[in-house]
Amino acid sequence: MRLPALNIWLAMILVASLQSAALAYIVFDRAQLLANGREIVLDTRPVDPRSLFRGDYVILNYGQISLLPQDLAKGMEKTQRTVYVTLQNDAEGWRPTAVSDKFPDAIRSGEVVLKGMRQHRSRRIRYGIESYFVPEGDGKRLEKLIRKGELKVVVAVGLDGRAGIKGLVVEGKPVYDEPIF
Amino acid sequence: MNSYYRRRLETDLKRWVDAGFVGPDGARAILSDVTRERSGDTNRIVAILSILGAILVGAGAISFVAANWQEFPRLMRLGLLIASIFSAYGAAAALFQRGLGMFAHGAVLVGSSLFGASVMLVAQMYHIHGNPPDAVFVWAAGALLAGTLMRSNPTIVMSLLLVGLWGGWETQQVHGVFWPFLPAWIAVTGVLLAKGCRYGVKLAAVLLAIWIIWLGGYYRHEITVVVGAAFALAGLLLSHLWSRHENYGRLLTSTGFALAMVGLFALHLLKDWHGVSNLPILAAYGVSTLALAIVAAGWGIRTNDRTLTWLAYAGFTVEVGGLYLKTIGTLMNTSLFFLSVGAGVILLAAAAYWINRHLRMRKGAAQ
């Protein structure tokens, strides 16, 4: 089996364009989510301060949202991987109130649903918002702020439950990385 | 061609010229032909160096961009990545056109590495911490596309390795069998077969074997033995019925044999065989595994299949070592076991010698 002789320049342009289109799609998809998603502000909590700083990114942990309480986790199927976690906002911030394997039918106004991936049959859930890349050398400063409880994360949540990091709130002031594009 | 072969050929040719099999002119022609082929070695070294160089340049470019990342606004970073991809493939096309194929393959490899790095950098740019194997999958798909359209086998092989990385990573995360690996493997291996990339197909066979061994680990090791036996049988049939594809038949046979052996090892060497009543079972496993290795070695020698022969020797050695460790300190007498198996092997050799002689005598009588 031989492929028809394709002009090498045509092949080159095709390959480079398709690969660039894939990259542009990822960027566009993400920009869409950040621009149109509902904005919520989550507290980050250090669980194990030693593992917070790794290379040039900070690992973010969201307390109960990241490690679901026992009573909520009981409802999950043993082998279930994708989970939808409903969060409710109260005086203490966003808190998980329900877990389901499909996107819930009805959501109340004070609620938001996050799509997450469960870590090997445990209560630990990842939402894709667990790391924040920082300029070299800035990681230590952010790590200290997390430890003092002065760092919050601005998250955009899409209608399908996907979440993306929009920016950080440092000492009560929002700090955005840069414009979405 | 290695110099060992050339040296051996020189001594043999001297003997053959003396015996009158080859004329002195023929001997000279054969030697000069071998020497000319040796200049192909230099080409291969150039190719290997250009590919290694390409990998290093790709790594350097990526780390430079990653280190100076914050200096550029987001859209410009994307533009930079896309420009680098275009220039790598453009360089590849220009090099192909000038007939510098070896450097062109390196450039395609750089382009595909840059694509993979770009996927990671875009994830970093938007702080995406999703499922990392997904990014590896996208990278593998991009490399397959580039390797196929630009007709560059090294990049298709890179795609194969990425599929392996993706499958392994996902397997670790699911803690179970990751079936999507199979269609992806088939897609990349199909392209490698169509392009006639021999080393890539060999690598694909190794990758599939690892996956099947894993499968046995999650279900039952019998699966590995059965699949291995089926592969070996299919390989034997392929090389005999379709001699044009004898090379792939041999590869299938060797892979199947290796799989069957690993499955058998897992079945009886990983277990604890406590109690006297279990020992006959262990002995039966041992005898059949050793017999399989001996048959495979014999077949390998008969058909000049060096890979199979060496795999058989290795399997035999592992089995003997494993049995030794298993039977130490048990009620079964280790030395007695080896003595009887050894005697059996010698008897087998004697029988083979006798049959051979018998056949030769009959052939001689017929002539």
Side-chain angles (χ1 to χ4, degrees), chain B residues 203-277:
Chain B
L203 203 62
V206 172
L207 213 57
L208 184 68
I210 293 171
W211 188 77
I212 293 167
I213 292 165
W214 228 264
L215 195 70
Y218 277 115
Y219 290 113
R220 298 171 68 89
H221 294 297
E222 282 90 340
I223 290 178
T224 311
V225 180
V226 170
V227 172
F231 274 24
L233 218 61
L236 289 177
L237 282 176
L238 185 66
S239 20
H240 277 257
L241 298 181
W242 220 1
S243 55
R244 200 158 64 89
H245 293 294
E246 201 196 349
N247 277 322
Y248 291 131
R250 285 173 166 218
L251 177 60
L252 211 53
T253 310
S254 292
T255 310
F257 169 72
L259 277 173
M261 287 300 270
V262 171
L264 284 170
F265 293 154
L267 278 173
H268 73 288
L269 293 183
L270 297 179
K271 230 188 255 181
D272 267 328
W273 294 91
H274 289 309
V276 193
S277 58

Side-chain angles (χ1 to χ4, degrees), chain B residues 27-357:
Chain B
R28 255 195 303 280
I30 290 171
L31 274 181
S32 80
D33 182 61
V34 170
T35 316
R36 191 168 49 241
E37 252 190 82
R38 276 183 57 76
S39 71
D41 280 4
T42 336
N43 278 346
R44 203 175 301 163
I45 290 165
V46 171
I48 289 169
L49 283 180
S50 86
I51 284 173
L52 287 180
I55 292 169
L56 293 175
V57 167
I62 292 157
S63 58
F64 172 78
V65 175
N68 297 288
W69 210 214
Q70 303 300 323
E71 319 286 323
F72 312 109
R74 270 174 172 167
L75 204 57
M76 201 176 140
R77 296 180 212 169
L78 184 66
L80 223 71
L81 296 174
I82 288 175
S84 74
I85 288 171
F86 265 86
S87 42
Y89 291 123
L95 288 164
F96 270 127
Q97 228 172 20
R98 282 193 199 158
L100 295 167
M102 289 161 292
F103 291 102
H105 288 306
V108 179
L109 212 53
V110 171
S112 292
S113 311
L114 283 171
F115 172 65
S118 302
V119 173
M120 312 292 175
L121 288 173
V122 165
Q124 174 172 343
M125 197 152 107
Y126 287 97
H127 312 289
I128 305 171
H129 186 101
N131 189 23
D134 288 352
V136 178
F137 181 75
V138 173
W139 187 3
L144 183 62
L145 177 86
T148 310
L149 290 185
M150 305 282 292
R151 299 211 203 114
S152 180
N153 289 344
T155 302
I156 306 176
V157 171
M158 173 165 109
S159 170
L160 179 75
L161 292 174
L162 289 170
V163 165
L165 175 65
W166 168 68
W169 205 334
E170 285 282 9
T171 303
Q172 219 189 11
Q173 286 195 355
V174 215
H175 284 256
V177 182
F178 182 64
W179 293 103
F181 169 77
L182 215 49
W185 179 88
I186 289 171
V188 183
T189 309
V191 175
L192 286 168
L193 275 171
K195 299 254 170 191
C197 175
R198 203 88 66 72
Y199 68 97
V201 175
K202 278 186 186 166
L203 203 62
V206 172
L207 213 57
L208 184 68
I210 293 171
W211 188 77
I212 293 167
I213 292 165
W214 228 264
L215 195 70
Y218 277 115
Y219 290 113
R220 298 171 68 89
H221 294 297
E222 282 90 340
I223 290 178
T224 311
V225 180
V226 170
V227 172
F231 274 24
L233 218 61
L236 289 177
L237 282 176
L238 185 66
S239 20
H240 277 257
L241 298 181
W242 220 1
S243 55
R244 200 158 64 89
H245 293 294
E246 201 196 349
N247 277 322
Y248 291 131
R250 285 173 166 218
L251 177 60
L252 211 53
T253 310
S254 292
T255 310
F257 169 72
L259 277 173
M261 287 300 270
V262 171
L264 284 170
F265 293 154
L267 278 173
H268 73 288
L269 293 183
L270 297 179
K271 230 188 255 181
D272 267 328
W273 294 91
H274 289 309
V276 193
S277 58
N278 283 329
L279 288 175
I281 308 173
L282 175 63
Y285 267 124
V287 168
S288 32
T289 310
L290 289 175
L292 181 64
I294 290 167
V295 169
W299 184 259
I301 292 167
R302 241 188 97 110
T303 56
N304 260 327
D305 189 338
R306 271 210 284 186
T307 312
L308 182 61
T309 312
W310 282 109
L311 279 173
Y313 290 158
F316 189 90
T317 313
V318 171
E319 179 62 27
V320 169
L323 282 179
Y324 184 74
L325 291 176
K326 281 282 138 182
T327 49
I328 264 182
T330 63
L331 287 175
M332 182 156 70
N333 194 322
T334 310
S335 58
L336 191 65
F337 177 80
F338 281 118
L339 277 176
S340 43
V341 172
V345 172
I346 291 170
L347 274 178
L348 210 67
Y353 175 73
W354 184 79
I355 291 169
N356 236 350
R357 204 178 58 161

